[in-house]
Amino acid sequence: MTEIDKNVLQEIEQNKKVEVVVKRDSSTHGEFDLVRVFSNMGKKRRIFVCIILACMLIGLATPLLMAELKDRGEKVSVLLNMVYPAAKKQLAPDGSELDINYIKSSYILQKALKMTHLSENIPISALERNINIESLLTEETRQKLEVAEKVIQETKKDYEQVLEVDYQYEGKYIITISNGFSTDPEARNKTYLESSEMSALINNIAEAYIDYFYETYMDMMLPDNTLGSINNEELDYIERLDEIVNLLDSLSTYCTETVKSQYLSSRSRLDGMTFQDIADCIKLIRDIDVDYLYAYVFYNNIAKDKKSMVTKYSYQLKNTERELNVVNGNIAYNSQLISEYKNDKINISSNDQEVMQESLAVTDYYNNLIMDQSENYKKKASLGEKIANLNDKIAGFKTTTSSQTQIEYVENELKSLVETCTTLYNLTEDHANEILESDSYKNSFINYIGAQLSKDSFFNSTNIKNAIIGLLAGAFLGALIWGTDGIIEEFKKNSSSKNALKEGEAKA
C-alpha cells in the first residue's frame, strides 16, 4: 500500500460516519382498493349470480306462499227480494215485525244442509257464524247518508240534525256465506267447501227460508173442509141439508173473494177450469138440486125423529132469541150515545170576513158509533130471519107426518148430493193447491237471485305487490352478500400483506 492510501483511510476512520439509504416502496400498504373489491367480486360472479337468483326466487315465493296459507277470501251471496208492499217497512205480510235473522235459525239451516248433501260435515253453529245479512237501503236514503258523511268530514262536527235520517228500505236483503267453517272462531284448521257446494248451500238456504215464509205468511188458505158434517148420517135430513148449504156457500165465497182476484181466471193444467168456472158449477147445483131438496124437506117436514128435531130447534130458538135481546140492547145503548153526543165546535175566520163562523167537526168516535149501529141492525135482521125459520120448522115438525116413500126419496137425493158436493170440494181444493204450489204465487211474496260467487284472486294487487317487494328484497340481499364477500376478500389480502411485511422485518 502506498503512502497516500494510508492517509485517506486514516481520515475515514477518524470521522466514522457512514450513511446508507435504503429505498422501500410501501405506499400501497394498508389501503382499501375498490378496484380490487370489484375485481374480487368479478372472479366469483357466476356463483353470486346464482345466489342472487336464488334470493330473488325465495323473496318472490315467500309472500305467495303466505298468501296461499292464509284463509281463503271466498264468499257466495244471494239477493232475497220481498215484493209485497209492507216489506219496505221491514214488516211481514200480516203487519208484524219481520225477523229476517230467522234465516240463520237451526230449523232453516238444518233443512238446507239436508237438501245440499255436502262432502264435508259442517256444524250448524259454524255455518251460522259465517252467514252475514245486509239490508239494502233505498237510493234516496243512501244519498242522504252520503251527504251527512260529507258534512261531518268537512266540518269535523257531529251534527244531530244531519244524522237524523229517516231510513227507508227496499225490501231486499243480501245473504252472504264466507268459506272456512269452524266451531271455534280462533281455530287455524277450518273446513273449506268447493265453490259449487257453497253455491248449492246458499241457494238451498234461500229456498228453505222462502218455504218457511210462504207457509207462515201466505194469505191464500185452502177452503174449509166440512165434508165430515155432510156425510154424518146421524144428523137428520134438514140438518145435513143445512151443512150442505153452508159448505156450498163457503166454496162459492172462496172461489169469488177479491183477495184472489189475480188468480180467479187462472186456468188449471189438470182440469182446465178456473175458480170462476167452479163458482158457476156451485151456483148451478145450489139453485137446481139443493134448494129444491131443501124446500121439499122443509115444507113436508120430513125427518127421522120429529120429537128430537123439535127439541133441537127449540133450543136453537132460545139461544137465537137471547142473542137478539143482546143486539137490541146494544142498539138502544148506541142510539142513546148518538142522540146525546155533541160534535166538536170549531171557529172559522177568513181575511175578508170580520165575523167568525162556527162549524161542527165530526170526530172518529162519532163515526165509529154510526158504523157499530149499522152492524147491529144487520145482526138484528139476520137473527130475526133465523128466528122465523126456526119457528116454522118447530111448527111443521109438530103437526105433519112423512111417508116412507118421501123418506126414501130424500135419502137417495141426499146421497147423490153429498157425492156432488164432495166432488166440488175436491175440485176447489186441487185447484187451490195447484196455485199455492206454483212459482208465480210464491214469487208474488218473495223471490231470490241465485248464488253469486266472489273470491279474492290469488294474483290480486296485494299479492302481486308483495311478490315484487319480495323479489327486489331478494335481489338486494344477494347483491349485499356478493359485495360483502368482495370486501372480505380485500381485507384478507391486506391482512396477508401485513403479516408478510412483519415476517420480513423480523428476518432483517
Side-chain angles (χ1 to χ4, degrees):
M1 180 180 297
T2 64
E3 193 67 24
I4 296 172
D5 293 334
K6 289 179 179 179
N7 293 334
V8 172
L9 289 173
Q10 289 177 355
E11 291 177 358
I12 294 174
E13 288 177 359
Q14 291 177 356
N15 295 328
K16 291 183 179 181
K17 185 179 180 180
V18 179
E19 293 181 2
V20 178
V21 179
V22 180
K23 186 178 182 181
R24 181 175 61 184
D25 187 7
S26 58
S27 60
T28 60
H29 174 67
E31 293 182 355
F32 183 80
D33 194 344
L34 286 176
V35 176
R36 286 199 299 270
V37 171
F38 287 113
S39 177
N40 294 333
M41 292 173 63
K43 292 176 182 179
K44 297 181 180 180
R45 62 181 178 276
R46 293 184 179 179
I47 296 173
F48 283 99
V49 166
C50 295
I51 293 176
I52 291 174
L53 292 176
C55 291
M56 292 174 66
L57 290 176
I58 293 173
L60 177 67
T62 300
L64 296 179
L65 179 60
M66 293 175 64
E68 179 65 22
L69 295 176
K70 188 175 65 174
D71 289 347
R72 302 180 190 176
E74 188 177 47
K75 296 181 180 179
V76 63
S77 304
V78 296
L79 178 63
L80 208 60
N81 185 22
M82 312 288 191
V83 295
Y84 57 93
K88 294 184 178 180
K89 299 179 181 179
Q90 293 191 317
L91 298 177
D94 59 359
S96 62
E97 185 176 355
L98 177 64
D99 183 14
I100 190 63
N101 287 317
Y102 191 75
I103 201 170
K104 298 165 66 174
S105 67
S106 58
Y107 170 76
I108 300 295
L109 299 183
Q110 184 66 43
K111 186 176 181 180
L113 287 172
K114 288 182 179 180
M115 295 167 61
T116 309
H117 304 292
L118 299 175
S119 59
E120 300 287 344
N121 183 26
I122 304 297
I124 293 179
S125 58
L127 178 57
E128 179 185 356
R129 185 178 294 109
N130 284 28
I131 295 178
N132 180 61
I133 302 175
E134 178 185 0
S135 178
L136 295 184
L137 297 168
T138 61
E139 181 65 25
E140 182 180 359
T141 304
R142 290 197 294 268
Q143 290 176 357
K144 290 181 180 179
L145 290 175
E146 290 176 1
V147 171
E149 183 179 2
K150 289 181 180 179
V151 170
I152 294 172
Q153 290 176 352
E154 293 177 359
T155 60
K156 306 299 181 183
K157 295 181 180 180
D158 188 5
Y159 291 101
E160 294 183 359
Q161 65 270 24
V162 176
L163 296 178
E164 291 178 357
V165 177
D166 183 17
Y167 289 87
Q168 298 292 332
Y169 297 89
E170 292 185 354
K172 297 179 180 180
Y173 301 87
I174 297 178
I175 316 299
T176 303
I177 298 180
S178 302
N179 206 351
F181 303 92
S182 174
T183 54
D184 183 8
E186 303 298 330
R188 293 186 177 181
N189 296 327
K190 297 182 179 180
T191 302
Y192 290 90
L193 299 177
E194 297 295 331
S195 300
S196 58
E197 290 183 319
M198 289 277 290
S199 299
L201 177 59
I202 197 168
N203 283 338
N204 287 333
I205 289 176
E207 289 285 352
Y209 182 77
I210 288 175
D211 289 341
Y212 152 78
F213 190 91
Y214 161 72
E215 293 171 359
T216 305
Y217 298 113
M218 65 178 183
D219 60 350
M220 180 176 171
M221 308 297 292
L222 292 175
D224 295 333
N225 188 347
T226 58
L227 294 178
S229 298
I230 67 174
N231 282 285
N232 186 3
E233 295 184 357
E234 294 182 0
L235 297 177
D236 215 315
Y237 305 132
I238 197 71
E239 292 176 312
R240 291 181 69 183
L241 283 170
D242 285 335
E243 295 297 330
I244 290 175
V245 169
N246 292 335
L247 173 64
L248 293 180
D249 287 345
S250 175
L251 290 179
S252 179
T253 302
Y254 183 86
C255 293
T256 56
E257 58 186 356
T258 56
V259 70
K260 294 188 289 291
S261 58
Q262 58 180 324
Y263 301 105
L264 296 181
S265 59
S266 177
R267 196 164 297 279
S268 171
R269 292 176 299 177
L270 301 176
D271 49 44
M273 298 184 67
T274 66
F275 275 129
Q276 294 175 344
D277 296 335
I278 298 174
D280 292 339
C281 293
I282 293 172
K283 185 178 184 304
L284 185 65
I285 296 298
R286 172 71 184 273
D287 293 342
I288 296 177
D289 295 335
V290 178
D291 287 352
Y292 172 77
L293 186 60
Y294 197 99
Y296 184 83
V297 173
F298 183 80
Y299 288 107
N300 291 288
N301 299 299
I302 302 173
K304 295 179 181 179
D305 186 352
K306 294 187 177 183
K307 291 183 179 180
S308 176
M309 291 299 299
V310 170
T311 302
K312 289 180 180 179
Y313 286 129
S314 297
Y315 176 75
Q316 292 180 16
L317 178 62
K318 289 182 179 180
N319 288 335
T320 306
E321 289 175 344
R322 190 178 296 111
E323 291 180 20
L324 181 60
N325 290 333
V326 173
V327 171
N328 286 331
N330 292 335
I331 291 174
Y333 178 71
N334 275 11
S335 297
Q336 183 179 357
L337 291 177
I338 292 172
S339 62
E340 296 177 353
Y341 183 79
K342 294 182 179 180
N343 288 316
D344 294 343
K345 294 182 179 180
I346 59 175
N347 295 322
I348 303 174
S349 63
S350 60
N351 295 330
D352 56 348
Q353 292 179 343
E354 296 180 356
V355 181
M356 298 180 63
Q357 295 181 354
E358 189 178 86
S359 178
L360 297 178
V362 179
T363 63
D364 292 338
Y365 177 73
Y366 182 81
N367 290 333
N368 289 333
L369 288 177
I370 298 298
M371 295 298 295
D372 291 341
Q373 193 72 324
S374 175
E375 290 295 325
N376 288 332
Y377 278 113
K378 288 181 180 179
K379 291 179 182 178
K380 180 179 180 180
S382 176
L383 291 173
E385 182 181 359
K386 186 176 181 180
I387 289 173
N389 289 333
L390 288 173
N391 284 324
D392 289 343
K393 290 177 181 179
I394 292 171
F397 286 124
K398 283 182 178 180
T399 57
T400 60
T401 59
S402 54
S403 65
Q404 185 65 29
T405 303
Q406 290 176 324
I407 292 175
E408 291 179 356
Y409 171 77
V410 170
E411 288 182 347
N412 291 333
E413 290 296 319
L414 268 177
K415 183 179 179 180
S416 175
L417 195 55
V418 167
E419 292 177 356
T420 302
C421 291
T422 302
T423 301
L424 286 173
Y425 177 84
N426 292 333
L427 191 65
T428 306
E429 184 182 46
D430 292 343
H431 192 64
N433 274 322
E434 185 179 352
I435 292 175
L436 291 173
E437 294 173 0
S438 65
D439 292 336
S440 61
Y441 179 75
K442 292 182 179 180
N443 292 336
S444 65
F445 284 97
I446 182 174
N447 55 65
Y448 76 99
I449 298 176
Q452 301 292 323
L453 185 67
S454 63
K455 60 181 178 179
D456 295 336
S457 174
F458 183 74
F459 295 103
N460 56 33
S461 59
T462 302
N463 290 344
I464 292 175
K465 182 178 69 176
N466 292 337
I468 293 174
I469 293 174
L471 183 69
L472 296 177
F476 176 76
L477 180 61
L480 182 63
I481 294 173
W482 189 7
T484 302
D485 181 77
I487 294 172
I488 291 173
E489 287 294 327
E490 177 63 16
F491 280 126
K492 285 182 178 180
K493 287 183 180 181
N494 287 339
S495 178
S496 299
S497 299
K498 187 176 181 181
N499 292 334
L501 178 59
K502 288 181 179 180
E503 290 177 0
E505 289 177 352
K507 289 180 181 180

